[in-house]
Structure formats: C-alpha cells, structure tokens
Amino acid sequence: APETEAPTEVPAATPEHTRTGMSKASLKQAYIDNLFYIQGRFREVATPHDLYMAAAFTVRDRMLDRWVKSAQVYKTSHARTVCYLSAEYLLGPHLANNLVNLGISEVARRAGEELDLDFEAILEEEEEPGLGNGGLGRLAACYMDSLATVQIPAIGYGIRYEFGIFDQDIQNGWQVERSDTWLRNGNPWEIPRPKISFPVRYGGHTEHSRDQAGRSRVRWVADMVVSGVAFDTPVLGYGVGNVNLLRLWKAEAPESFDFQVFNVGDYYGAVHAKIEAETISKVLYPNDEPEAGKELRLKQQYFFVSCSIQDMIRLHLNTVGPLETFHEKFVAQLNDTHPAIAVAELMRLLMDDHAMPWDAAWDITRNTFCYTNHTLLPEALETWSVALFERLLPRHLEIIYEINRRFLDTVRVRYLGDEARVARMSLIDETGGRRIRMAHLAVVGSRAVNGVAALHSELIKTTILKDFYEMSPERFHNVTNGVTPRRFIVVSNPRLAELITEFCGHDRWIRDLDCLRDLEEHAEDPALQARWREVKTAAKQDLALWLSQHGGVVLDPQTMMFDIQAKRMHEYKRQHLNVLHIIRVYQRLKQNPNLGMVPRAFIFGGKAAPGYYMAKLMIKLINSVAEVINNDPQVNGFIRVAFMADFNVKNGQRLYPAADLSEQISLAGKEASGTGNMKFSMNGALTVGTLDGANIEIRDEVGAENFFLFGMTAEEVRRKQAEGYRPWDYYHGDDELRSDIDLVTSGLFSHGDTNLFRPLADHLINQDPFMVLADYRAYLNCQDRISEVYDRPAEWDRMSILNVARMGKFSSDRSIRDYAERIWGIEPKPIGI
Ligand code: GL7
C-alpha cells in the first residue's frame, strides 16, 4: 500500500513496550532484558556495577522517545534556543534524578523489590560526573534541569573531561588528591556522536589578501588541528516531555592529520600529535576562584567554544538558513569569562569562513551573547598574556585588537580627553606585561551583563565594571541564582518531600516552589513541628551513621545540633572563623566542665585547590582540632568535630537534609551569591550568615527574625579597608580572641609542634585580608544566641518551617524564568508527554 494511505485498521491495544512502558511489569522485564542484552549477565553472576548499568539503561530508554520528540518539535518549529556555554557542569549522579523527573521513582522501587534488588545499593554504585569545581559548575547543572523543566529549548555546551574534579582523601589530617576516573566503567547516560565533529585549530599565522570583489579576506594557517567529538547527554525536565541536550566535546586527533604525518614516515610524531590533541579534554583545572593562566587552560576554553559555535552555525544552516538571522535563532549565555573567546570566534567564523563584512558580523555577535559575572575577587578575573594569545590564537588576537580599536574610539568620542578612562576600559591591560582582559571582551561583545545576586550585581556596577556601567547602564541586570528543588529536596530528602507534599499538594510545589508558602500557616502547629523534627532527626541519623562508617567520628543525632559548613575551602569563606568559635567553646568547657550548653556537632566538608597552601592548612587545622576534641572525654559529650572527606554532589546530598545550622560566613562583598546557602535553608536549616551574596535575599524572604545575622556590611568592610584595617588591634584588644589564636599555635593541636599552624595565625594577626578578627566577636555573640534558641525547640522548629516555606524564590526555575523574560527574550516550547 502507498505510504500516504491511512491504515484501514487501528492496531489492537498492544502490551506496553518494554523499552518505554512505565508500569512495574514493563520495568521489571526491561531491567532483566538490559542486564542480559547490554551487560551480558544474568542475576546470579551480575556484579553491583552490572546491576547499576541495567537500571541506568532502563531509565535512559524511557527518556529517549521524549528526547527525539523534543528534537523534532524544536527543529520543525524553528524554536529559539538558548546555548549555555560553560567550562564546568557539576552534574552529580543521574539515576535518582532521572527517576524523579520521569515520575517513576516509586514504581521503580517496587519493581526493584520484586526483583529482589537492593535499590539503595544500586543508586550508590553510580560514579558522579564531577565536571566542575564548586558553585559555578553546579549552577550550570541546576540551570540545565530548570531549562528543561520550564520547557525552554536549550543546549548546554561544555567539555567532556576525562578526569573531573579530584577525589579527596584525608590522610593524617591533610588533604590528599586522587584522580577522578569517572569514565573507567563506562557512562551509560551519554551517546557518542562520532559524526558530529569539528576541527579546532591552534597556532600558525594569518595571511591577508583581497578577493575578486576587492574585499579583504584573511586566511588563518594553523599549525595544529584537533578534532572535537560530541557526546550527548539527555536532560529531562520534571514532569514534562521536554528533553534538552547537554553536548560535551572530547578532543581527539583528526584522522587525516595522523595520516599525513604517518605518510612521511614519522610514526612517533603522529602518535605524539595524537597524545597532544587528546590532552586538551583530559583534565578539569581544580582551581575554584583564582586564575592559573596556564596555556592548556586557554586551549581548553578555545576548544569547546570553537566546537560549540561551529555546531550552532551548522544547526542554523540546516534548519533556518541564512546566517543573518543567527541571533534570532540563538542566544548564547557565557557562564563567566571562561567561554568569552566565543566573541572573537563567532566574528572569525562569520567573516573568514562565511565572508560576512565586519559590521554585519559584529551586529550578530553583539546580539547573540550575554555574559554572567560570578566573582569580584581580583585574582579570579581572567586575563591572558598577549604573547600567549599571539602564539596560540593569532587570528583571534587580530580580531580582539580590532574590536578594541573600534570600541575605544566610541569611548574617546563619548568622554573627550579622558585617556585614563580609555586605558581602564581597554580590552588590553597595558600595565606590566600586556594582557587581554576577558571580562572586558565579554562585556563589549554582549547584549546583556548580569551578576548572580542583588548585592553582587550592584557591586559590579560600582567596582570592576563601573566604567562600562556608566557608559551603558541599560545593559546591566541582576539574576539571583537558584538551585533545583528536584535534586536538592526530592532526591536528597525524600522524607521532607513527603511531608511537604501533604501540605502543598502532590507535585505542585515541585514544579512551583512558591507553593511552599502553604506551610506557613502551620508553622506553629505542634503536630507539624513534631513531625518536622522527626524528619530532621532521621536525616541526622542517616548522616551520623554514614560518617561513623566513613572516618569513624560518632555524633549523637538526638542531642546534638548539627552545625555544618560545606563548600570549597577558601580564606574568603572563612572556615577559620568557624574554627575559632569551636576553640572558644572548647576553652569555655575546659574552664567549666559543668557549663550547661547545647551539644553541637561541628561538621565540615570541602576541597582545597591543590596549590592553595593556606586552604590546605585550614583542612589540617580542622582535623587537628577534631582529633583533640573528639578524644577529650571532658568535652566530647558536648562537642564533636567531623570533617567529611570528598565533598561532592553525592555527599552534599547527605549533608543538606541533616543540618540544623548552615554556616554562610564569608566576608561581606566577597561571595558573589553562594548556592549552598539555598540548599541548606530549603532543607530546614537555619542560617548563620553575613550580609553577603544571596544571604541578603534569603534573609529578606524568610524574615530577619528567622535568620541569624552577624558581621560587617560590605559598605563597612569597604570603609574599614579604606581607613586601614589593623588586625593586630583586635588581637591585642580581645583577650579571648588572643587566647583562641594562641591555642592554635600552642602545639596542643599539633602534637607539640608550634610551627605547623604559625603561617595561618601570623597571616590572621598581620594581614587578615578577609577580616576574620574584625567579625570574630559579633560571630561569637551570634552563636550564643543560636544556642539559646536551639534550646527552645518549638521556636526553632517554627523558624525552620518558615525558612522552608519562604524559599520559593530560590528555585532555579525562577532564575531561568528571569533569564528567559528579562535577558533572552525566549518563550517556553511545551512538549507534552
Ligand atoms: C562562584 C561564586 O563564588 C559563588 O558565590 C556563586 O554562587 C557561583 C555561582 O554563581 O559562582 N564564582 C566562581 O568563580 N565560583 C563560584 O562558585 C567558582
């Protein structure tokens, strides 16, 4: 029959397809099939890893038809698409999250039971893709979840690092790094696309000429080529048919390149080129904030940016057509300056490969990109030496010079005679060795610029980008960060999720977090409070059990307040301020063993950049203090200290539900937003925090009376620094402070070694760049208040309930809607199920 003819008979209702069916029976059958046909195993001989893989494939199958449908709809409707360009995606385990978003957690659990599987053990088996350092990379992952959930067509572009963030061991109290081999056993969530591959070139020189029409043309003759190959991971939204694409690039040696060298007989040369090419996507740089300035890092940045822009151009030519409308099809969000070279790359491709004149290319480029700034720390602002650029990306350097020349002309016209301003705004920093300021490139090449919390967005305008703000204030925005409630409540805290569901409607709150407000009216209800406390205590029990099995510290979840600081180790985040408080409590207890105090477990987690000496010393200090306190029977009934090794997404999910108190104690003005603050608060922890980053907005939302505030404001910090901050005045002016710092260097925590912690103490007394000493007293007073309130459970529980009830704003769904409406100008494209 001709294909166009309608079928005369509707097929009889068939049993559910075992690759898509969501019933328990289908899931069971699919699981057995996958174990057999993909892993080549039957139950009796399957390893835990086989059991996990079969589960992963069973879940992945169920995402694929939605993925294909999304791709079809996006393509045929020419949907405007967000391309999120990020060097980092800190994804965390996929399996549990995808089960939740598919809406089959419960039925899958029951199917597992009937197959006699240990569901928790299967979830534990997954190695998380740790393709990011901290908040910035995790934010990208939350945004991918929310883009799909709020049904915005999106592609996340990044790097498929073979080694993600290192695994952290603690040996003798010190951090020891182990390489992360997450791909060793295969990655069931990705689909390799060997045919989606682009050449990326480096080095060489440029040749300028004119074409027949007399237009100037540039040819870049590179001396190294690598191939970027796409690996796709589907990202499913919660309860919707939308599946977006996370496309990560792996670097390989191009076949033809190999072949040429091989032809002339240089076999070893060819192998060397292959290794050099593959090195590019080998390893994630483990630095959180400070910039390393390493050549390989610039190569990585250009590598993934070039592949991504080439891919966008390919997609555009395949679907829409003429490149003149490129910016109508795509908006590209630059996640910090790491992908800022995209501005020059799009210009290059449009002009050199597609023969577009400068002005037209600039118009498109300027209307394609938007830039998010994530830090004000001067040492974290990326610059690259002009010499390095010239060697690696000679054509891009020419383009950047030309962008700069044209841009500075407009500055000169606007601000006649203000050459100081011209020098400040230049894309090239001429003080010292000449360097390219990537933030300036990002700003000049973008339509919109935003910070990640209200305070941060204001500070951008008055500090690092002041001149740019004065010149075009309309381009500056704020989009306060958010986190996904799917992973950080539903997946990580199922008991709390269940309790919330009773009050806020099944599923409603998970897609609209503002619905948590329905909890408010019950905040004082003793019945809810009792159940709230049960949920918290159960989570604390889980964590205590886990910690006792991993590291051996025993904590009492019944009597102890769990006081947690989990984030990258950094002086500006002031883990040492927390330690000084612990030491103060320790000394008080030693002086008065009968001190009636609320027992506390001080729990830490966080990695230090491998080259960041002071941060590593802070880890050693925490573990050393822990050793003394935990072994001192005079105090260890009241206080204990635990350092959770290897803080990552998976371990974070164990911490957030179990916290009574969340430590967000950075020096005001330094933490751009923070997102851990949101994760803790969403799980019912109360925050002790400074007026920094998103803390300010969290406090505004939950109410000042439900937030433990201490410390200087950003403005007070600025003033004090301008006046000349003298930490030694504090050290000498406060007996308790002095005695706490002196105890650090006394040898008590270092088996008699009085030198070990000297650098840390000296740095505090003499420089104290993050003003630990100035905020010490306020912090202690605040902590005393906290203990008092914790002693009144009804009050604490009410505050905890209100914190959760008022966290709606901090869903990343809200952040994404803000971007969509205010920055991207893009509408949802719903895909039904
Ligand atoms: C960061 C900020 O330090 C952090 O405050 C913010 O929440 C996060 C996401 O916007 O971005 N900036 C940065 O360079 N890193 C961050 O975590 C590594």
Side-chain angles (χ1 to χ4, degrees):
E3 272 181 13
T4 47
E5 212 175 270
T8 47
E9 231 178 299
V10 180
T14 47
E16 267 196 335
H17 195 296
T18 53
R19 293 202 106 148
T20 53
M22 305 278 203
S23 70
K24 192 176 61 187
S26 296
L27 289 172
K28 281 166 69 179
Q29 188 57 48
Y31 184 83
I32 303 289
D33 284 354
N34 282 329
L35 190 60
F36 189 83
Y37 289 107
I38 296 187
Q39 291 307 106
R41 298 280 202 204
F42 48 92
R43 266 310 292 279
E44 288 69 21
V45 296
T47 64
H49 182 255
D50 292 324
L51 298 177
Y52 158 70
M53 292 294 267
F57 282 114
T58 304
V59 170
R60 192 185 89 174
D61 279 347
R62 277 146 189 81
M63 298 165 69
L64 283 181
D65 55 337
R66 297 191 194 185
W67 192 8
V68 170
K69 185 156 174 225
S70 300
Q72 274 167 350
V73 172
Y74 291 174
K75 183 172 176 181
T76 51
S77 67
H78 293 191
R80 182 161 159 80
T81 301
V82 179
C83 295
Y84 199 78
L85 299 186
S86 179
E88 302 191 4
Y89 290 90
L90 192 45
L91 297 166
H94 292 284
L95 179 55
N97 198 249
N98 285 333
L99 283 168
V100 163
N101 283 11
L102 276 169
I104 58 170
S105 296
E106 264 324 297
V107 59
R109 196 173 285 274
R110 275 185 276 119
E113 270 163 25
E114 290 185 13
L115 290 173
D116 208 16
L117 294 165
D118 181 343
F119 202 75
E120 293 308 318
I122 287 178
L123 294 176
E124 276 300 310
E125 190 61 28
E126 181 170 356
E127 284 244 26
E128 73 173 72
L131 309 184
N133 272 287
L136 177 146
R138 181 55 232 177
L139 186 77
C142 283
Y143 281 1
M144 289 306 294
D145 179 85
S146 284
L147 280 161
T149 299
V150 310
Q151 309 189 293
I152 295 197
I155 305 174
Y157 283 115
I159 302 175
R160 182 180 176 274
Y161 298 106
E162 186 178 333
F163 301 101
I165 186 69
F166 63 86
D167 293 337
Q168 179 193 56
D169 275 345
I170 300 297
Q171 284 174 21
N172 188 28
W174 292 98
Q175 166 175 301
V176 175
E177 299 93 19
R178 268 187 302 113
S179 59
D180 157 60
T181 51
W182 71 290
L183 286 171
R184 183 186 38 199
N185 299 319
N187 172 10
W189 302 103
E190 68 184 6
I191 298 184
R193 306 280 189 206
K195 292 294 171 195
I196 301 182
S197 143
F198 297 97
V200 178
R201 298 177 296 161
Y202 298 95
H205 64 276
T206 59
E207 292 171 358
H208 293 247
S209 61
R210 295 208 169 263
D211 64 13
Q212 279 139 348
R215 287 174 307 208
S216 96
R217 298 301 301 266
V218 182
R219 202 165 80 91
W220 172 20
V221 185
D223 58 18
M224 179 186 181
V225 189
V226 307
S227 224
V229 180
F231 284 71
D232 291 349
T233 302
V235 180
L236 170 66
Y238 175 78
V240 293
N242 295 63
V243 176
N244 285 333
L245 175 62
L246 177 63
R247 178 161 282 172
L248 303 180
W249 302 101
K250 174 180 189 237
E252 292 181 356
E255 270 170 61
S256 56
F257 187 67
D258 253 0
F259 195 63
Q260 271 173 10
V261 184
F262 191 58
N263 263 353
V264 290
D266 185 5
Y267 180 72
Y268 289 101
V271 172
H272 179 77
K274 186 168 165 60
I275 290 170
E276 200 172 297
E278 287 171 358
T279 301
I280 290 176
S281 58
K282 208 39 107 183
V283 58
L284 167 77
Y285 276 92
N287 297 312
D288 193 28
E289 310 258 357
E291 180 36 41
K294 292 282 192 303
E295 173 168 337
L296 179 59
R297 189 173 158 107
L298 181 57
K299 275 190 178 168
Q300 288 184 333
Q301 294 181 350
Y302 177 62
F303 165 73
F304 95 89
V305 161
S306 178
C307 291
S308 308
I309 307 274
Q310 290 184 70
D311 195 39
M312 289 161 68
I313 289 178
R314 175 188 66 94
L315 287 168
H316 189 77
L317 294 173
N318 281 348
T319 54
V320 186
L323 287 174
E324 280 65 27
T325 57
F326 185 81
H327 57 287
E328 292 166 21
K329 165 76 182 167
F330 291 116
V331 55
Q333 190 68 37
L334 304 174
N335 196 27
D336 216 292
T337 55
H338 316 147
I341 187 64
V343 171
E345 177 67 354
L346 181 57
M347 286 297 287
R348 182 187 75 82
L349 288 164
L350 293 176
M351 292 189 303
D352 298 359
D353 286 12
H354 296 275
M356 204 180 271
W358 179 282
D359 290 322
W362 183 243
D363 238 34
I364 291 168
T365 300
R366 208 19 195 340
N367 281 307
T368 297
F369 292 107
C370 305
Y371 158 58
T372 306
N373 173 282
H374 292 269
T375 184
L376 300 168
L377 295 191
E379 68 270 28
L381 293 177
E382 275 192 310
T383 62
W384 293 103
S385 88
V386 167
L388 176 59
F389 243 84
E390 196 151 32
R391 186 150 45 78
L392 226 51
L393 301 169
R395 176 61 181 138
H396 297 79
L397 183 61
E398 290 176 355
I399 292 171
I400 289 170
Y401 279 155
E402 183 62 14
I403 293 172
N404 197 36
R405 191 185 67 76
R406 290 169 182 245
F407 170 65
L408 293 183
D409 279 349
T410 65
V411 178
R412 287 196 182 91
V413 170
R414 175 82 182 268
Y415 301 98
L416 285 181
D418 192 349
E419 277 306 307
R421 184 183 293 261
V422 171
R424 287 199 307 271
M425 295 183 81
S426 172
L427 304 195
I428 314 295
D429 180 356
E430 311 267 1
T431 62
R434 305 179 69 230
R435 302 185 71 84
I436 303 176
R437 296 162 164 156
M438 299 307 274
H440 292 200
L441 176 61
V443 172
V444 172
S446 292
R447 175 161 59 80
V449 178
N450 75 283
V452 289
L455 171 69
H456 171 66
S457 297
E458 284 310 308
L459 290 174
I460 284 176
K461 298 183 201 167
T462 54
T463 60
I464 53 167
L465 298 178
K466 180 167 188 280
D467 296 317
F468 294 89
Y469 173 68
E470 284 173 7
M471 200 163 150
S472 30
E474 73 289 351
R475 290 199 295 135
F476 284 72
H477 303 260
N478 171 248
V479 181
T480 299
N481 283 170
V483 303
T484 169
R486 271 74 63 186
R487 181 175 295 276
F488 291 108
I489 303 178
V490 182
V491 172
S492 58
N493 200 347
R495 295 184 195 94
L496 182 64
E498 214 176 291
L499 183 53
I500 292 173
T501 294
E502 281 182 37
F503 291 84
C504 304
H506 184 63
D507 278 11
R508 240 174 90 239
W509 64 274
I510 303 175
R511 66 179 82 243
D512 176 6
L513 207 61
D514 289 328
C515 294
L516 290 176
R517 287 266 175 198
D518 294 352
L519 284 167
E520 254 185 47
E521 54 181 300
H522 307 283
E524 317 231 343
D525 174 4
L528 175 61
Q529 289 186 355
R531 297 181 63 201
W532 198 260
R533 183 154 283 256
E534 264 169 41
V535 165
K536 180 59 77 183
T537 306
K540 288 164 73 175
Q541 257 152 0
D542 288 351
L543 176 63
L545 179 66
W546 194 88
L547 287 172
S548 71
Q549 290 166 345
H550 300 77
V553 187
V554 176
L555 308 175
D556 182 352
Q558 299 292 345
T559 62
M560 290 182 148
M561 178 206 300
F562 279 20
D563 171 345
I564 309 187
Q565 186 170 21
K567 48 182 78 250
R568 284 297 286 255
M569 299 298 300
H570 204 295
E571 289 163 278
Y572 86 76
K573 297 178 189 279
R574 302 200 293 191
Q575 282 93 350
H576 39 3
L577 177 58
N578 190 337
V579 173
L580 288 178
H581 171 236
I582 299 173
I583 292 175
R584 177 88 316 260
V585 175
Y586 173 68
Q587 299 219 70
R588 279 189 206 151
L589 276 168
K590 292 303 275 185
Q591 281 150 16
N592 179 6
N594 300 319
L595 192 79
M597 71 160 284
V598 174
R600 272 205 212 204
F602 299 94
I603 302 167
F604 292 85
K607 295 174 184 176
Y612 187 176
Y613 171 70
M614 215 45 114
K616 291 182 129 174
L617 197 55
M618 294 206 296
I619 293 178
K620 174 66 176 169
L621 176 63
I622 293 166
N623 284 304
S624 304
V625 170
E627 191 188 339
V628 169
I629 288 180
N630 297 346
N631 291 304
D632 183 341
Q634 238 184 353
V635 304
N636 68 13
F638 295 100
I639 52 174
R640 300 219 174 186
V641 181
F643 189 95
M644 176 197 247
D646 205 32
F647 176 59
N648 53 16
V649 177
K650 205 188 214 180
N651 285 332
Q653 291 176 199
R654 305 181 210 280
L655 290 177
Y656 302 120
D660 293 303
L661 185 66
S662 155
E663 300 270 351
Q664 307 300 336
I665 60 178
S666 53
L667 176 64
K670 298 295 176 189
E671 189 72 271
S673 162
T675 44
N677 45 6
M678 303 167 187
K679 295 165 197 168
F680 278 111
S681 188
M682 261 181 209
N683 282 278
L686 303 189
T687 304
V688 53
T690 48
L691 283 177
D692 200 15
N695 292 355
I696 298 174
E697 289 156 81
I698 292 176
R699 180 168 170 270
D700 286 346
E701 290 293 303
V702 304
E705 67 286 5
N706 299 307
F707 186 103
F708 297 108
L709 177 71
F710 77 96
M712 293 178 288
T713 63
E715 179 53 27
E716 284 163 352
V717 167
R718 200 194 54 75
R719 234 179 296 130
K720 193 172 281 291
Q721 253 148 10
E723 285 164 5
Y725 170 54
R726 297 199 313 210
W728 55 88
D729 290 351
Y730 290 87
Y731 176 74
H732 290 293
D734 185 328
D735 291 344
E736 288 192 328
L737 171 59
R738 193 170 61 254
S739 136
D740 292 341
I741 294 182
D742 288 352
L743 203 63
V744 168
T745 49
S746 69
L748 173 69
F749 302 119
S750 41
H751 304 279
D753 182 348
T754 53
N755 288 321
L756 180 60
F757 297 118
R758 171 74 50 200
L760 223 163
D762 282 353
H763 198 53
L764 284 181
I765 298 166
N766 297 315
Q767 268 95 44
D768 193 17
F770 302 106
M771 299 180 146
V772 171
L773 305 202
D775 273 343
Y776 165 89
R777 187 47 61 186
Y779 181 59
L780 288 198
N781 291 342
C782 189
Q783 287 287 9
D784 289 343
R785 262 200 298 133
I786 291 167
S787 289
E788 282 168 26
V789 178
Y790 194 76
D791 231 3
R792 301 193 290 270
E795 193 174 332
W796 187 277
D797 291 340
R798 195 197 80 230
M799 293 167 76
S800 168
I801 294 168
L802 289 177
N803 261 261
V804 174
R806 297 171 179 173
M807 284 301 287
K809 171 173 175 186
F810 303 100
S811 167
S812 43
D813 298 349
R814 190 273 311 149
S815 310
I816 287 300
R817 288 198 183 95
D818 280 357
Y819 277 104
E821 284 163 23
R822 307 211 311 257
I823 296 195
W824 299 332
I826 193 166
E827 300 273 313
K829 178 69 65 180
I831 312 282
I833 297 173

